[in-house]
Amino acid sequence: ALRPHPFLQAIVDKTASKLGGEDGRGYMVIHMRVEPDMAQQRVCSHKKLYYVDNITDMVHKQFPEPPVKTVLIVFARSLL
């Protein structure tokens, strides 16, 4: 598997340890593929969600009690 440069890995490790918190409850990362190029994909079209609020609602429904302390949501900067 590809590995980041040690300098970048140190930044990743430091950030990940902060996200997990001192109580060790950890974190979850959600990569929302709502970019226009992903909307064009035909795979699983019947399961696609096109709006961020639909995705967050689905996560809240799936996890009524938060399984982690922190959730990091990632999506394209151009959508901000």
Side-chain angles (χ1 to χ4, degrees):
L2 297 175
R3 296 179 189 262
H5 185 278
F7 174 77
L8 293 176
Q9 186 64 55
I11 294 171
V12 169
D13 292 343
K14 182 177 179 181
T15 302
S17 68
K18 287 181 183 178
L19 289 173
E22 293 180 10
D23 61 1
R25 287 196 51 209
Y27 65 96
M28 174 190 303
V29 177
I30 301 173
H31 183 192
M32 297 188 183
R33 297 303 308 264
V34 294
E35 295 94 345
D37 65 315
M38 288 305 295
Q40 299 302 318
Q41 299 293 323
R42 300 194 195 300
V43 179
C44 300
S45 61
H46 64 287
K47 293 182 179 181
K48 286 186 182 178
L49 299 173
Y50 295 95
Y51 302 101
V52 172
D53 61 336
N54 294 142
I55 298 168
T56 55
D57 289 347
M58 183 181 72
V59 171
H60 280 282
K61 185 177 178 181
Q62 181 71 29
F63 301 104
E65 290 297 320
V68 294
K69 180 178 180 176
T70 304
V71 176
L72 178 63
I73 299 174
V74 181
F75 52 94
R77 183 181 190 119
S78 62
L79 298 174
L80 294 176

